[in-house]
């Protein structure tokens, strides 16, 4: 789901990518809200809070929201930089370093929820790290899918979904209508998986608190292993064909 690009990339690749990573984003979203009361998968609301704090002369709080915005931007920049660097040097698969970075961040924040380890960081640091991780994920998914899939926020998805649903009421050629239905199905999968991640993540959080993020780190690690296994399987299949 990460290796194929351009003409080699299929609808099914995007469907698998969308379902898994939107589910992860949903868990991170609810974990951020329940633990530090901060939305950590997008920055739209942070711009409003940033502006509000400036208007009422709360510059320290405004700076906090500005840092949150920069954390997401930094994650997106770092992810794209790592992909470009890896592509140019052929050292690793381009998707690997961003995914490992995200796993390490989510794993570290998850470990801070284990009281027996006596590792604690501030709520602001937790929010910043989660925003950075989601910036990494959003940038990677956007690059890999060529802007077809976005997994960390739903505003644009609902806009596109509304546009595409409206097109169903007008006459289209059969192949265009078929593609339109596939696009709608993909967006509904992303929305459903994000919602499922929020619901399941909230339930798990009620039992193990921030350690819920260790589940997301495990899921991402499983995705890497699955992608590698599938790649080897098809490589062997082509070899012995």
């Amino acid at each position: 789901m990460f290796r194929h690009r351009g003409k080699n990339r299929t609808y099914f690749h995007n469907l698998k990518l969308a379902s898994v990573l939107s589910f992860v984003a949903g868990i991170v979203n609810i974990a951020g809200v329940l633990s530090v009361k901060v939305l950590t998968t997008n920055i739209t609301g942070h711009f409003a809070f940033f502006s509000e704090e400036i208007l009422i002369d709360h510059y320290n709080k405004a700076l906090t929201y500005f840092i949150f915005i920069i954390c997401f931007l930094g994650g997106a920049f770092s992810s794209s930089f790592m992909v470009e660097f890896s592509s140019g040097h052929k050292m690793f698969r381009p998707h690997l370093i961003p995914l490992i970075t995200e796993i390490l961040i989510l794993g570290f924040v998850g470990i801070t929820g284990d009281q027996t380890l006596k590792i604690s960081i501030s709520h602001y640091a937790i929010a910043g790290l989660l925003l950075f991780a989601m910036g990494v994920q959003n940038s990677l998914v956007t690059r890999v899918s060529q802007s077809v899939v976005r997994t960390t926020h739903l505003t644009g998805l609902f806009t596109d979904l509304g546009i595409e649903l409206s097109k169903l009421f007008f006459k289209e050629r059969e192949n265009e209508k078929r593609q339109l239905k596939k696009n709608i199905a993909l967006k509904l999968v992303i929305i459903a998986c994000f919602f499922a991640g929020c619901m399941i993540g909230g339930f798990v959080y009620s039992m193990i608190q921030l350690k819920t993020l260790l589940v997301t780190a495990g899921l991402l690690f499983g995705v890497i292993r699955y992608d590698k296994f599938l790649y080897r399987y098809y490589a062997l299949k082509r070899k012995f064909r």
Side-chain angles (χ1 to χ4, degrees):
M1 69 181 83
F2 293 101
R3 297 167 190 264
H4 293 87
R5 297 188 186 185
K7 294 180 180 179
N8 292 326
R9 189 162 188 85
T10 67
Y11 175 78
F12 188 56
H13 292 141
N14 285 335
L15 193 64
K16 289 193 292 184
L17 183 72
S19 58
V20 176
L21 294 191
S22 58
F23 183 76
V24 167
I27 295 176
V28 173
N29 188 52
I30 193 64
V33 170
L34 294 176
S35 61
V36 295
K37 303 297 185 290
V38 176
L39 292 170
T40 53
T41 58
N42 66 84
I43 55 172
T44 306
H46 296 315
F47 271 99
F49 291 130
F50 173 64
S51 303
E52 179 189 20
E53 298 299 345
I54 288 178
L55 288 172
I56 59 178
D57 298 330
H58 290 171
Y59 298 114
N60 287 337
K61 289 185 178 180
L63 179 61
T64 299
Y65 288 112
F66 179 73
I67 292 172
F68 286 166
I69 293 166
I70 295 301
C71 284
F72 191 92
L73 174 64
F77 169 82
S78 300
S79 180
S80 183
F81 185 87
M82 288 184 279
V83 169
E84 290 291 342
F85 183 83
S86 300
S87 299
H89 290 75
K90 308 290 183 183
M91 296 170 60
F92 305 99
R93 292 292 176 183
H95 66 275
L96 195 58
I97 301 178
L99 279 175
I100 290 174
T101 301
E102 184 179 355
I103 289 170
L104 291 174
I105 291 172
L106 296 177
F108 172 73
V109 176
I111 288 172
T112 65
D114 190 340
Q115 301 300 321
T116 62
L117 297 177
K118 297 182 180 179
I119 301 174
S120 62
I121 57 177
S122 72
H123 284 188
Y124 298 124
I126 289 172
L129 284 169
L130 294 183
L131 280 160
F132 185 92
M134 289 297 96
V136 169
Q137 176 175 305
N138 201 44
S139 176
L140 176 64
V141 171
T142 301
R143 288 288 303 273
V144 168
S145 69
Q146 296 180 312
S147 300
V148 173
V149 177
R150 297 179 189 272
T151 59
T152 64
H153 54 274
L154 301 181
T155 307
L157 276 175
F158 271 94
T159 302
D160 293 341
L161 182 62
I163 292 170
E164 289 168 349
L165 284 171
S166 71
K167 289 182 178 180
L168 288 176
F169 291 91
F170 298 90
K171 291 182 179 179
E172 302 276 354
R173 281 181 287 187
E174 190 58 35
N175 61 330
E176 291 177 348
K177 182 163 281 191
R178 193 181 305 114
Q179 183 60 45
L180 192 60
K181 289 179 179 178
K182 288 170 70 176
N183 292 342
I184 291 171
L186 179 63
K187 289 173 177 60
L188 289 174
V189 166
I190 296 173
I191 293 167
C193 289
F194 190 93
F195 178 68
C198 287
M199 295 298 293
I200 294 172
F203 177 73
V204 176
Y205 185 89
S206 67
M207 296 185 292
I208 59 175
Q209 283 73 52
L210 264 180
K211 285 180 284 187
T212 302
L213 294 173
L214 295 175
V215 176
T216 62
L219 280 172
L220 290 172
F221 181 76
V223 165
I224 292 175
R225 299 304 301 170
Y226 167 80
D227 198 59
K228 188 173 183 179
F229 170 79
L230 212 59
Y231 179 79
R232 287 182 175 177
Y233 169 75
Y234 284 115
L236 285 171
K237 193 175 180 181
R238 285 192 296 268
K239 184 178 179 180
F240 293 106
R241 182 174 294 173

